[in-house]
Every structure is written in C-alpha cells, then in structure tokens.
Amino acid sequence: MLEKNSPGQNIDSYCGKCKLNLDHTIMTMEGETVAKVRCKTCGSSHKFKSPLDAQKIRKPRAKKGAGEAATAEIIWAAGLAEAKGKERDYSMASRYRVGDIVNHQTFGKGVVVKLYANKCDMLFKDRERLMASTNG
Ligand SMILES: [Zn+2]
C-alpha cells in the first residue's frame, strides 16, 4: 500500500532554523506534495524541504561566506608559499616588510601584504587584518 502524506503526519524535513534534518509535522498539502511543515524541535512552520535538498543547503551554511573563506585560504596558502621573509611572532612593536611571515597568537600564521604608517595588512588564514606595527 502506498503511504500518503497528509496533514498531521510526521515527515523528515530540513529545518532552516535548526539547520538540521528533523522530525516535522505536515501542516498543509498541495495535492500530493507536502507544502508546509512544522518543526517539532523549534516549533517554527516553514515550507517543506526534503532532507535530500538539505545536502545542498548544508554546504554554504557551514559558515556564512564559506566561499569567501575558502578563497582567502587559497590566497593565504599561496602567499605563505611565496613569502620569503623571516617567520617570527607577531608584535606591534615590530617592523615588517611585505612578505614577512608572522605568527599570531590568535590568528595563526600570516603574511604581510601591505604596509601603512604604523600599520600593516596581514593575510591570515581566514581573512586579511590590519595590524599595528612600527613601520613608517
Ligand atoms: Zn526547527
């Protein structure tokens, strides 16, 4: 016998709020298709999203701007590979040159990419950061 979905029944759906595939209750149907569901976990009602679709949704949601981060990481890795400067711990009292490799306590390894008066842009794994230094 073919199981038919109908309002009030349980269904696995992707919850945009919980960011997970969870148990939902069918609220409304559009013909044979589930239209609206309610998340049993957070109680929010939303359009039905099959768990399969969630696989596509999941990737970008891993981190907002994950695409950007990935790009930054590639640039960062390339920058590190090309950097010929000496590697040392970051200190705002240091003088840097473009290409210097910096070890930062919080941000990890970075490459100096641009110099300003008493500041410089350092490229870290996740993004570029303006850091204090004694250039200038
Ligand atoms: Zn939910």
Side-chain angles (χ1 to χ4, degrees), residues 5-22:
N5 290 321
S6 61
Q9 279 191 334
N10 293 341
I11 194 165
D12 270 352
S13 171
Y14 178 80
C15 177
K17 254 192 179 169
C18 302
K19 316 273 189 210
L20 283 169
N21 292 325
L22 289 164

Side-chain angles (χ1 to χ4, degrees), residues 9 12 18 42 46 51 55 58-59 62 66-67 75-76 89 107 119-121 128 130 133 136:
Q9 279 191 334
D12 270 352
C18 302
C42 69
H46 52 84
Q55 299 308 318
R58 271 193 174 182
K59 276 185 187 164
I75 298 168
W76 169 80
D89 292 339
F107 309 133
K119 288 190 272 290
C120 55
D121 266 342
E128 226 175 81
L130 192 62
S133 68

Side-chain angles (χ1 to χ4, degrees), residues 86-90 94-97 100-103:
K86 253 209 265 172
E87 185 175 331
R88 54 196 158 143
D89 292 339
Y90 169 74
S94 291
R95 196 176 274 266
Y96 294 101
R97 279 184 312 187
D100 278 357
I101 299 171
V102 185
N103 262 318

Side-chain angles (χ1 to χ4, degrees), residues 110-129:
V111 188
V112 179
V113 288
K114 216 167 183 182
L115 301 178
Y116 306 99
N118 298 318
K119 288 190 272 290
C120 55
D121 266 342
M122 291 181 187
L123 182 65
F124 292 98
K125 198 171 180 178
D126 55 343
R127 64 179 176 91
E128 226 175 81
R129 286 186 173 82

